[in-house]
Amino acid sequence: MRILTKTAGKDFVILNLTDIHWDIVAWAPGNQEYETVVGTVRELIRRVQPDLITISGDLSWGMAVESYTAVADLMDSFGIPWAPVWGNHDYEKAAVTQGAVEAFAKRPLCLFEAGDPELGCGNYTLAIQENGRTVAGLIMADTHKGATFISENREAQSTWGRLYPNQLDWIRQQSKLLAADTALIQHIPIFGYMDAAKAAYRPGLDLKTLTLEESLGNTCWNPGYEDSVGVQHEGICSYPLEEGALDACIDAGVKAIIVGHDHNNNWIICHKGIRFVFSLKTGPGCYWEPELNGGTVIRITSQGIEDIYHEYVRF
């Protein structure tokens, strides 16, 4: 568990980026995609002045270590500690994943830890302390490349990755050690995101055409969910069955879950005492909606996690 220090009387600000999908071959200075990513991150840092940058997966396509060293060079250039987790695309080639782990270990500002190999790669914890007291913590979790489930007709089918039972036990343990407000940062959403969306959005809505401006009002939210915000312009890509992650997070007292993966979803919904967050996508890599570009901010006070919101950057 690494310790980060919060200055008394000053908020500790975390900027989360996601799904950059850096391509070292296609992206070079002068290329529009390159300029959009770099410009977005620079503008976010100028506005937010973060104490820590987290990245919730899909840094690249997992095809070349050079892509990850390029991301590391960009992050290091800001002089701010940064902490990533892997997304499914970061696992495209095992040798590249291992090469990225080794490259990141040489970067003093990179807080990534491979962690216990029995849990995957990149399960680690960050404690934010003020005057020696932990006020909040981040549990960084690996949702792996993919998983298999048994369908109703008893056929094995491949699907999106998930948290495994030993990871859920580890999350409970880490939350107990932190004994403070805890945010879980991972790439692929848990099945509980399905429940949160169903509970929050009013029935009959055409979610694919719901605008960001419309989501800022109360007309699209069920009673009790009026503080929600954001759109869902694609299906939720999670493991298709409830695998115990939601109960584990509730048991552990997790206050927020921040994910990426679904580029065109950006809602923030408080459900069962947890803030479910689709982080704002950073840059055009793979696919995007330009109006949903930017990053997500987590603001921590001496009392814990105070606020989570999106910071939009228009290009």
Side-chain angles (χ1 to χ4, degrees):
M1 183 181 297
R2 297 201 185 204
I3 306 299
L4 299 171
T5 301
K6 176 189 175 299
T7 302
K10 179 180 178 295
D11 290 351
F12 189 96
V13 178
I14 301 166
L15 171 63
N16 190 73
L17 313 175
T18 199
D19 293 85
I20 298 172
H21 287 277
W22 193 282
D23 186 338
I24 195 64
V25 176
W27 297 20
N31 179 292
Q32 184 57 52
E33 289 186 338
Y34 173 94
E35 298 299 335
T36 299
V37 170
V38 174
T40 295
V41 177
R42 285 176 177 163
E43 177 62 15
L44 286 168
I45 291 172
R46 185 192 70 80
R47 292 186 201 171
V48 174
Q49 297 292 301
D51 299 286
L52 172 68
I53 299 172
T54 55
I55 309 176
S56 52
D58 280 2
L59 286 68
S60 184
W61 296 95
M63 304 302 287
V65 174
E66 290 79 6
S67 295
Y68 293 88
T69 58
V71 171
D73 287 343
L74 176 63
M75 293 298 108
D76 282 351
S77 72
F78 303 115
I80 300 167
W82 56 285
V85 294
W86 297 140
N88 54 298
H89 284 296
D90 298 312
Y91 276 113
E92 296 294 342
K93 290 184 178 180
V96 172
T97 304
Q98 183 57 37
V101 170
E102 294 170 0
F104 286 2
K106 299 175 183 178
R107 307 280 182 146
L109 289 173
C110 183
L111 306 181
F112 178 89
E113 295 180 8
D116 183 350
E118 294 294 322
L119 303 178
C121 183
N123 294 276
Y124 60 105
T125 305
L126 304 173
I128 299 160
Q129 294 188 348
E130 179 181 311
N131 295 326
R133 178 179 67 90
T134 300
V135 297
L138 303 179
I139 297 177
M140 316 295 286
D142 177 22
T143 48
H144 312 279
K145 181 179 180 179
T148 301
F149 80 104
I150 306 301
S151 66
E152 290 182 356
N153 59 3
R154 297 184 177 276
E155 291 183 354
Q157 297 183 6
S158 297
T159 186
W160 300 113
R162 65 185 180 100
L163 298 171
Y164 288 93
N166 57 351
Q167 287 179 284
L168 300 180
D169 291 339
W170 176 79
I171 288 169
R172 291 185 179 97
Q173 293 165 0
Q174 295 303 301
S175 184
K176 185 176 181 179
L177 288 172
L178 288 165
D181 280 3
T182 301
L184 177 62
I185 297 181
Q186 61 187 59
H187 182 64
I188 298 173
I190 66 172
F191 185 83
Y193 274 69
M194 302 273 198
D195 293 335
K198 184 176 180 180
Y201 282 113
R202 287 187 181 275
L205 283 175
D206 183 354
L207 291 178
K208 290 186 177 180
T209 62
L210 181 69
T211 67
L212 181 60
E213 290 71 23
E214 290 170 337
S215 81
L216 298 175
N218 293 333
T219 57
C220 65
W221 304 109
N222 282 322
Y225 291 89
E226 293 88 352
D227 290 338
S228 304
V229 65
V231 299
Q232 181 177 312
H233 287 168
E234 62 179 307
I236 296 173
C237 295
S238 73
Y239 188 78
L241 303 172
E242 175 52 60
E243 77 282 24
L246 178 56
D247 285 343
C249 289
I250 293 172
D251 292 344
V254 170
K255 299 298 183 183
I257 306 173
I258 295 97
V259 304
H261 194 48
D262 298 354
H263 301 184
N264 297 337
N265 297 337
N266 79 323
W267 48 252
I268 302 175
I269 294 172
C270 186
H271 178 63
K272 295 189 175 181
I274 298 173
R275 274 182 274 196
F276 290 79
V277 181
F278 274 115
S279 189
L280 207 57
K281 181 174 169 15
T282 310
C286 189
Y287 69 93
W288 73 327
E289 292 184 13
E291 64 272 20
L292 303 182
N293 178 60
T296 299
V297 180
I298 307 166
R299 186 167 62 85
I300 294 171
T301 70
S302 59
Q303 303 305 310
I305 299 172
E306 180 69 20
D307 195 16
I308 301 176
Y309 63 92
H310 296 319
E311 189 71 34
Y312 296 86
V313 178
R314 305 294 186 185
F315 267 87

